[in-house]
Amino acid sequence: MGLFSGNVAIPAITESLVFTDPYYGAEMNRHTPELSPVVDALRRNAPLKAKVQRLLMKFTANTETMLHGDLHSGSIMATDTSVRVIDPEFSQYGPLAFDLGMAVANFFMAYFSQPAHRQADELEAYQAWILSVISDCFTRFDEEFRHLWQTERTGILFPRSLFEEQGNSADDACDALLDEIREDALAYCGIEMHRRVLSLAHNADFEEIEDTALRAELEARNVLMGQTLIMEPQAYRDLDALTDLAKTFNQKTVL
């Protein structure tokens, strides 16, 4: 943490581009013109902006783990047998939930963009596969976290002297912590779903749609689902509820 503490410039970029700029008319913002009614309503939503700022407080004040800091599908190189993550220039210490939320947001954007990229006969199956990847991300995170909880919990938090060595299980504490991480991850996910269509560094899945009216409609579904995740993340910790929410917005006509 000491090594990273002097690096104030990189976190400042995240703090503005991700948490602040999407929610007002920042100089470097841009969005699809037909999306403006949705954007205007979003920026008038004071309770939403207050939630986002609370999440910014967590991001700036929490040093739980080392983050990649900009984990999206373009930074993940995968084959059938190996995975590598590149572009670590935004690495810093921050909340456990942040990278998970950022990565899942980009999968949701891929999901919502597919009507512009797939033929009707393959669209449903491909979108279903993306949703399965999202569920797998959360499931595998939980599995690995629980494994490390049992095998490498040797620090000052939740020490075995308070639990196992007194005949108590620490499983309930682990469950509660994972619930909190998933809830925050969903809220960070919603913020990233906004940032990648309203702020700088747009998502290619949407950006490559030449028909701007179609692009705006698909982006609107993404923005409104992101808003729901920010406002009510606790309602979608269950993965079936989360994927059902995505399916619901995928069927909406917003604009």
Side-chain angles (χ1 to χ4, degrees):
M1 286 165 50
L3 179 66
F4 282 77
S5 63
N7 180 17
V8 296
I10 291 296
I13 293 173
T14 302
E15 291 155 14
S16 59
L17 291 183
V18 175
F19 290 95
T20 307
D21 289 3
Y23 303 101
Y24 81 109
E27 181 178 357
M28 290 189 290
N29 285 357
R30 62 181 177 85
H31 62 264
T32 306
E34 291 91 335
L35 188 62
S36 289
V38 173
V39 177
D40 292 344
L42 188 79
R43 290 176 177 166
R44 290 193 302 267
N45 189 335
L48 172 77
K49 292 184 285 187
K51 290 260 189 180
V52 172
Q53 291 301 293
R54 289 295 298 272
L55 288 156
L56 174 57
M57 287 176 64
K58 283 192 174 185
F59 178 79
T60 57
N62 194 325
T63 53
E64 289 174 333
T65 192
M66 179 176 281
L67 301 175
H68 179 277
D70 189 26
L71 189 60
H72 58 79
S73 47
S75 297
I76 303 170
M77 306 286 117
T79 70
D80 289 340
T81 57
S82 66
V83 177
R84 295 290 185 270
V85 178
I86 63 171
D87 290 345
E89 66 270 18
F90 280 88
S91 294
Q92 64 178 90
Y93 280 85
L96 277 161
F98 187 75
D99 278 348
L100 179 59
M102 296 282 275
V104 167
N106 283 268
F107 293 134
F108 273 126
M109 286 182 274
Y111 171 81
F112 283 116
S113 72
Q114 289 311 305
H117 299 299
R118 301 277 160 183
Q119 298 297 321
D121 61 347
E122 60 179 359
L123 176 61
E124 184 176 352
Y126 196 79
Q127 285 187 306
W129 173 74
I130 295 175
L131 291 181
S132 75
V133 170
I134 292 169
S135 294
D136 286 348
C137 285
F138 284 110
T139 300
R140 292 293 295 122
F141 181 91
D142 283 11
E143 290 172 352
E144 184 66 12
F145 191 97
R146 292 181 193 281
H147 170 70
L148 295 173
W149 182 269
Q150 294 298 329
T151 59
E152 298 192 27
R153 179 164 43 92
T154 57
I156 63 170
L157 294 175
F158 304 95
R160 294 181 181 276
S161 60
L162 296 186
F163 294 93
E164 288 86 351
E165 292 176 14
Q166 296 187 49
N168 303 132
S169 171
D171 291 347
D172 288 347
C174 183
D175 291 343
L177 185 54
L178 281 169
D179 282 347
E180 182 180 340
I181 291 170
R182 183 173 294 187
E183 188 172 320
D184 284 351
L186 291 172
Y188 287 127
C189 172
I191 293 171
E192 177 72 347
M193 290 167 80
H194 291 166
R195 190 270 291 201
R196 295 279 273 169
V197 298
L198 304 179
S199 183
L200 194 66
H202 283 207
N203 178 279
D205 294 302
F206 288 130
E207 200 72 359
E208 293 177 359
I209 302 172
E210 295 183 1
D211 182 340
T212 58
L214 175 59
R215 185 202 308 161
E217 176 60 42
L218 301 180
E219 288 177 333
R221 299 171 186 178
N222 170 79
V223 168
L224 293 178
M225 178 169 169
Q227 177 176 268
T228 299
L229 292 179
I230 294 167
M231 297 302 294
E232 302 177 286
Q234 70 284 353
Y236 301 102
R237 287 200 307 254
D238 177 82
L239 295 178
D240 288 337
L242 180 64
T243 55
D244 285 346
L245 180 69
K247 292 174 185 177
T248 297
F249 278 105
N250 189 53
Q251 299 300 320
K252 285 182 179 292
T253 300
V254 181
L255 297 173

